[in-house]
């Protein structure tokens, strides 16, 4: 496979950082997310996806149980 242009890599890094932040993941060890490589970010996001319930993800519909008023 050929080299990936730097702009595309940076966009993917930003996307992964934002997704990890949504899942309350801010640091790996003593490193901030912006200090991690693209490969490290991909790895952490994959771990979160593997451990996350599929209907608990961002963008999923979340129903609220609102009781019906009795007349």
């Amino acid at each position: 496979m050929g080299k990936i242009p730097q702009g595309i890599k940076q966009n993917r890094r930003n996307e992964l950082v934002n997704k990890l932040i949504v899942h309350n993941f801010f640091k790996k060890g003593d490193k901030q997310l912006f200090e991690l490589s693209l490969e490290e970010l991909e790895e952490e996001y994959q771990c979160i996806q593997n451990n996350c319930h599929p209907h608990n993800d961002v963008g999923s519909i979340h129903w609220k149980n609102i009781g019906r008023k009795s007349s």
Side-chain angles (χ1 to χ4, degrees):
M1 219 162 133
K3 283 189 170 186
I4 300 172
Q6 191 63 30
I8 294 174
K9 286 175 93 172
Q10 189 60 39
N11 288 344
R12 180 64 179 157
R13 285 185 86 252
N14 291 338
E15 179 185 343
L16 288 170
V17 166
N18 290 331
K19 287 181 178 184
L20 289 167
I21 289 171
V22 167
H23 288 284
N24 296 320
F25 185 89
F26 304 102
K27 291 176 99 177
K28 180 179 181 180
D30 60 345
K31 286 186 174 181
Q32 299 289 331
L33 293 179
F34 66 88
E35 297 175 305
L36 299 176
S37 69
L38 177 58
E39 292 77 22
E40 290 173 310
L41 291 169
E42 293 276 7
E43 189 176 290
E44 292 304 320
Y45 185 66
Q46 188 64 42
C47 287
I48 287 175
Q49 288 299 308
N50 290 340
N51 294 327
C52 187
H53 188 277
H55 300 292
N56 222 13
D57 200 7
V58 175
S60 295
I61 297 173
H62 296 277
W63 295 95
K64 291 185 178 183
N65 189 9
I66 300 174
R68 190 179 256 186
K69 292 182 182 178
S70 52
S71 304

